[in-house]
């Protein structure tokens, strides 16, 4: 790894903050930021604002104009080297005459994967890699997992009481958390390519699973709604079938496929050996469709199944300051664990107050 200066770190940190601005609109592409610096002065900045639009490097070069010649480009991801919906960014940097490129990390996408670095190097541009690479990896966890593993990043959202309950015994669950927490969930929805739930939640709550915040909708489209429904019990009157966006129903028995498709849903058949929906096959299908991030908003049955299969990458738990009692539904359905050794450890990565509720972000410990 090259020796980087304090100024280098500051410039790449700025590029990462710019990249984050694409969190709602860049997917399925990665979030990328670029800062151009010449003689100690920032001469251009840019980020990938929307899929299909100009990439971060091009936006920064446009802002810099002639000042880009001889500048250093700080880029959060290796510049692309292929013709997609837009021309290759490595060629744009070469044509602009930048003297150096510092990249946080390589892009594992097969059509890039070192080819951008190679093109820059062959053009005589000095290239350094690895500056703030961990932060760059975290920024694009969904994109990177999809490219590397053919699976999306799965984030489980839970709204619970202080004693870990998600619903009363009769299924009542609206609302456990306050308005601020529910508004915060809108942001998670807006940055996700799909919302995943189970048929139990649909039958109990008739949810919309849409982004309702008008400001967020200026930057994104409605996520794909995905319902795990082994026997296709999805009501034809379910309101999500009449809402903007698209609904995909995953099943193991598709006898009622034609009726449900006539009502506006798409049906995806993926059965496991037990006659249930094969969740891993479903997730692979979502990745094939270019979905980087999946937000799970489900009851304890599906949530527990995902946890047992090791398919949850992150948990976002909104904990409300009240107690719902013992005759209630817990966060996850789990096996009948008997010993403390059976418990699953979590690594808490963030905690903060959202209105009157506490938001805990965590991952299962390996």
């Amino acid at each position: 790894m090259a020796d980087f200066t304090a100024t280098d770190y500051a410039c790449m940190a700025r590029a990462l903050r710019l990249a984050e601005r694409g969190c709602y609109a860049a997917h399925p592409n990665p979030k990328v930021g670029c800062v151009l610096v010449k003689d100690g002065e920032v001469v251009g900045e840019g980020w990938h604002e929307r899929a299909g639009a100009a990439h971060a490097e091009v936006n920064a070069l446009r802002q810099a104009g002639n000042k880009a010649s001889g500048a250093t480009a700080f880029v959060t991801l290796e510049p692309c080297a292929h013709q997609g919906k837009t021309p290759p960014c490595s060629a744009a940097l070469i044509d602009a005459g930048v003297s150096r490129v510092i990249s946080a990390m390589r892009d594992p996408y097969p059509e890039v994967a070192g080819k951008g670095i190679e093109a820059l190097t062959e053009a005589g541009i000095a290239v350094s890699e690895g500056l703030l690479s961990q932060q760059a990896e975290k920024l694009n966890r969904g994109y990177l997992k999809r490219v590397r593993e053919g699976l999306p990043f799965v984030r489980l959202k839970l709204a619970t009481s202080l004693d870990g309950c998600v619903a009363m015994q009769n299924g009542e669950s609206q609302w456990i958390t306050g308005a601020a927490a529910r508004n915060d969930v809108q942001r998670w929805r807006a940055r996700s390519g799909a919302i995943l739930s189970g048929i139990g939640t649909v039958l109990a709550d008739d949810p919309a699973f849409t982004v309702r915040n008008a400001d967020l909708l200026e930057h994104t489209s409605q996520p794909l709604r995905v319902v795990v429904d082994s026997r296709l019990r999805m009501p034809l009157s379910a309101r999500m079938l009449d809402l903007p966006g698209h609904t995909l129903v995953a099943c193991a028995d598709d006898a009622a496929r034609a009726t449900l498709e006539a009502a506006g849903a798409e049906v995806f058949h993926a059965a496991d050996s037990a006659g249930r929906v094969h969740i891993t096959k479903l997730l692979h299908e979502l990745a094939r469709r270019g979905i980087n991030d999946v937000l799970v908003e489900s009851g304890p049955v599906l949530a527990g199944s995902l946890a047992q299969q090791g398919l949850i990458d992150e948990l976002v738990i909104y904990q409300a300051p009240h107690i719902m009692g013992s005759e209630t539904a817990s966060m996850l359905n789990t096996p009948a664990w008997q010993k403390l050794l059976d418990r699953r450890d979590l690594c808490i990565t963030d905690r903060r107050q959202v209105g009157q509720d506490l938001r805990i972000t965590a991952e299962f410990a390996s």
Side-chain angles (χ1 to χ4, degrees), residues 1-5 7-9 11-12 15 33-37 57 71-79 93 98-105 117 120 125-132:
M1 182 183 295
D3 291 328
F4 297 113
T5 67
T7 299
D8 292 338
Y9 277 93
C11 291
M12 186 61 79
C34 178
V35 174
L36 294 169
V37 178
E57 298 92 325
T72 295
F74 294 84
V75 190
T76 59
L77 188 68
E78 175 186 4
L93 292 167
V98 301
S99 62
R100 187 184 182 195
V101 172
I102 300 179
S103 170
M105 62 173 293
I117 298 299
L120 294 167
I125 296 174
V127 178
S128 300
E129 301 178 75
L131 178 59
L132 296 183

Side-chain angles (χ1 to χ4, degrees), residues 68-280:
S69 179
T72 295
F74 294 84
V75 190
T76 59
L77 188 68
E78 175 186 4
C80 62
H82 66 292
Q83 176 71 49
K85 292 182 179 179
T86 60
C89 293
S90 55
L93 292 167
I94 293 168
D95 292 342
V98 301
S99 62
R100 187 184 182 195
V101 172
I102 300 179
S103 170
M105 62 173 293
R106 292 205 177 191
D107 187 344
Y109 186 64
E111 293 192 59
V112 186
K115 297 181 180 70
I117 298 299
E118 182 180 350
L120 294 167
T121 303
E122 289 180 352
I125 296 174
V127 178
S128 300
E129 301 178 75
L131 178 59
L132 296 183
S133 59
Q134 290 184 341
Q135 291 85 340
E137 284 264 353
K138 184 177 180 180
L139 178 69
N140 279 306
R141 288 183 294 180
Y143 167 79
L144 295 171
K145 187 179 180 187
R146 176 173 66 84
V147 172
R148 290 168 175 165
E149 302 177 35
L151 289 168
F153 187 89
V154 178
R155 179 177 288 111
L156 173 63
K157 186 274 293 183
L158 295 165
T160 82
S161 60
L162 198 60
D163 51 345
C165 302
V166 298
M168 301 305 292
Q169 191 177 44
N170 64 0
E172 183 184 1
S173 62
Q174 296 180 340
W175 298 101
I176 292 174
T177 54
R182 297 197 298 273
N183 189 57
D184 195 54
V185 172
Q186 292 292 305
R187 287 188 279 271
W188 288 116
R189 288 184 179 181
R191 65 193 300 164
S192 302
I195 298 174
L196 177 66
S197 193
I199 185 60
T201 298
V202 174
L203 294 174
D205 299 333
D206 193 19
F209 289 143
T210 55
V211 177
R212 297 186 295 273
N213 186 308
D215 292 335
L216 293 174
L217 283 174
E218 292 181 3
H219 305 286
T220 189
S221 56
Q222 292 291 354
L224 174 68
R225 298 180 290 268
V226 184
V227 178
V228 176
D229 181 9
S230 294
R231 300 190 301 279
L232 286 188
R233 293 184 291 151
M234 182 83 166
L236 301 183
S237 60
R239 62 173 172 156
M240 68 173 66
L241 298 178
D242 294 320
L243 292 171
H246 189 63
T247 299
L248 175 72
V249 182
C251 69
D253 179 351
D254 62 355
R257 174 193 287 264
T259 303
L260 192 54
E261 288 182 336
E266 179 186 357
V267 176
F268 175 72
H269 182 267
D272 64 13
S273 58
R276 296 185 292 261
V277 172
H278 197 303
I279 300 294
T280 303

Side-chain angles (χ1 to χ4, degrees), residues 309-366:
Q309 295 179 63
L311 296 173
I312 295 173
D313 297 297
E314 185 175 76
L315 300 94
V316 178
I317 305 168
Y318 294 89
Q319 196 170 48
H322 53 239
I323 294 172
M324 291 170 58
S326 58
E327 299 301 318
T328 50
S330 61
M331 292 190 294
L332 305 171
N333 277 13
T334 64
W337 294 337
Q338 301 296 323
K339 301 177 181 178
L340 283 175
L341 288 175
D342 296 330
R343 63 189 172 184
R344 294 291 305 278
D345 291 330
L346 296 177
C347 295
I348 295 177
T349 57
D350 184 74
R351 60 164 65 87
R352 64 188 63 196
Q353 196 83 16
V354 180
Q356 292 299 307
D357 303 315
L358 178 66
R359 190 186 80 190
I360 300 171
T361 306
E363 299 172 356
F364 283 111
S366 58

